Amino acid sequence: MPISAATASAPKFMTLERHIIEEERRYPAATGEFTGLLHDLSLAAKLVWREVTKAGLVNILGSTYRYNVSGDVVKKLDEFADDTIYKAMDHGGHLCVMASEENEDVLQIPDHYPKGKYVLLYDPLDGSSNIDANVTIGSIFSIYRRVTSKGRGTLEDCLQPGHKQVTAGYVIFGSSTMFVYSTGFGVHGFTLDPTVGEFLLSHEGIKIPKKGKIYSVNEGNSHRWDDRVKRFVDYLKEEDKATGRPYSSRYIGTLVADFHRTLLYGGIFMYPRDKKNPEGKLRLMYECNPMAFLVEQAGGSASNGEQRILEIQSSSLHQRTPLFIGSKDDVKAAEEFLKGRR
Ligand code: FDP
């Protein structure tokens, strides 16, 4: 039967699964292991999504009154997400080791499962202080190739500089749920269609504007900032039509959400060091590195104020760093202020 003109011109649905397979075709020597790994990750994302959307309905909300290694209060949903991601990823044979925000040490693959050539670092539920208020939260992931040769993965496999990432991404649980990722060939966003349970390509080849109009920072901390940071934020608030100032302010307090808006609209998100957090607050390995990889893939930049985030050599799993991330021109201006050149 001939295809009608209307059918021929109908939009093509690209599921995340199909996109992952097509991405792998870029590597002629690919074994399919990477496809399997991302497939497991998308399943983990759906399992976490299912629980996040039920959060107000079941008795899963609320703190367990324990603290995680970074000192934040651990919520029950954080634990659920942590366990779910670990269990979705531990038996596929793709990973040799994992590390998560919720655990002090690396997470080993159980002895009875095969070990693979990849390493996964993740923040299972970012923005946990926003959970009880039904504000956007997310999960962040970062994938490396192992550097040890075989057997169990080690800390050395995890502590690689961000430019060695082979994939990074996040899942954002907002007014809709999205899976945003990059394998080093641009940044692509998929929106979950809950009626079919599939992530569908909705944002292909995301590009961040070269310069934005929004700054995002917790200004409640400004009394603890260095003068250079204060001067940069004051500069953004000054009126000057020629340079598009003043900027607007937006701050959600969930890195995934503030980053996602910055990626789409442009501007700058910052979490500078301050007197209380001399190394900054955000974690390099599973918060800043994956976002830095994505922003660079989208044409933006990420810096700690002095250095490109992706070039920082980490010395510990839960290392913190100051973060200035977003549109290229805005991050460049931040660096100039921080280096005392303006
Ligand atoms: P949270 O503590 O709620 O988990 O690193 C975690 C994080 O949120 C980021 O998602 C967020 O950008 C930042 O901390 C918010 O910190 P402040 O509450 O200090 O602004």
Side-chain angles (χ1 to χ4, degrees), residues 80-125:
F80 174 85
D82 193 35
D83 287 355
T84 301
I85 295 174
Y86 178 76
K87 285 184 189 134
M89 306 304 298
D90 71 351
H91 57 282
H94 316 302
L95 296 174
C96 63
V97 70
M98 291 186 250
S100 127
E101 193 211 1
E102 301 295 340
N103 298 277
E104 180 117 36
D105 297 321
V106 297
L107 299 167
Q108 289 299 346
I109 304 298
D111 284 342
H112 50 284
Y113 292 136
K115 317 289 176 290
K117 61 180 179 219
Y118 293 104
V119 177
L120 171 69
L121 292 104
Y122 62 97
D123 182 354
L125 216 53

Side-chain angles (χ1 to χ4, degrees), residues 304-337:
N304 66 359
E306 284 137 33
Q307 182 185 10
R308 186 178 164 224
I309 291 286
L310 294 182
E311 277 167 10
I312 300 174
Q313 176 57 60
S314 57
S315 53
S316 71
L317 220 39
H318 302 286
Q319 180 172 335
R320 297 172 191 267
T321 176
L323 177 67
F324 299 83
I325 190 165
S327 295
K328 219 172 204 147
D329 288 359
D330 295 319
V331 174
K332 188 163 171 248
E335 275 188 328
E336 284 169 0
F337 273 88

Side-chain angles (χ1 to χ4, degrees), residues 189-263:
F190 298 76
T191 303
L192 183 68
D193 180 341
T195 60
V196 290
E198 291 280 4
F199 285 104
L200 301 176
L201 182 62
S202 52
H203 297 63
E204 190 172 13
I206 299 172
K207 288 280 167 228
I208 185 170
K210 191 161 174 284
K211 181 176 176 322
K213 299 188 199 105
I214 299 171
Y215 75 97
S216 184
V217 66
N218 185 343
E219 278 198 275
N221 296 335
S222 60
H223 62 289
R224 297 196 290 255
W225 292 343
D226 180 286
D227 275 351
R228 292 173 181 191
V229 177
K230 280 187 193 157
R231 284 203 306 106
F232 176 56
V233 173
D234 287 346
Y235 163 84
L236 295 174
K237 293 192 282 192
E238 279 164 17
E239 188 157 17
D240 178 43
K241 281 214 173 77
T243 52
R245 292 177 291 143
Y247 278 34
S248 265
S249 164
R250 297 278 187 281
Y251 188 73
I252 297 165
T254 297
L255 174 65
V256 170
D258 283 311
F259 177 77
H260 186 67
R261 183 201 55 248
T262 306
L263 187 66

Side-chain angles (χ1 to χ4, degrees), residues 68-72 82 85 98-107 119-127 138-144 155 158-162 165 167-171 255-256 259 281-294 309-310 314 316-321 323:
N68 68 7
V69 287
S70 304
D72 310 320
D82 193 35
I85 295 174
M98 291 186 250
S100 127
E101 193 211 1
E102 301 295 340
N103 298 277
E104 180 117 36
D105 297 321
V106 297
L107 299 167
V119 177
L120 171 69
L121 292 104
Y122 62 97
D123 182 354
L125 216 53
D126 172 62
S139 305
I140 313 175
F141 60 88
S142 164
I143 298 170
Y144 293 86
L155 186 60
C158 296
L159 297 185
Q160 301 187 51
Q165 288 171 105
T167 292
Y170 57 83
V171 188
L255 174 65
V256 170
F259 177 77
K281 179 184 178 194
L282 301 178
R283 270 68 85 183
L284 175 65
M285 298 310 295
Y286 40 80
E287 292 187 313
C288 302
N289 270 339
M291 297 319 196
F293 185 82
L294 290 166
I309 291 286
L310 294 182
S314 57
S316 71
L317 220 39
H318 302 286
Q319 180 172 335
R320 297 172 191 267
T321 176
L323 177 67

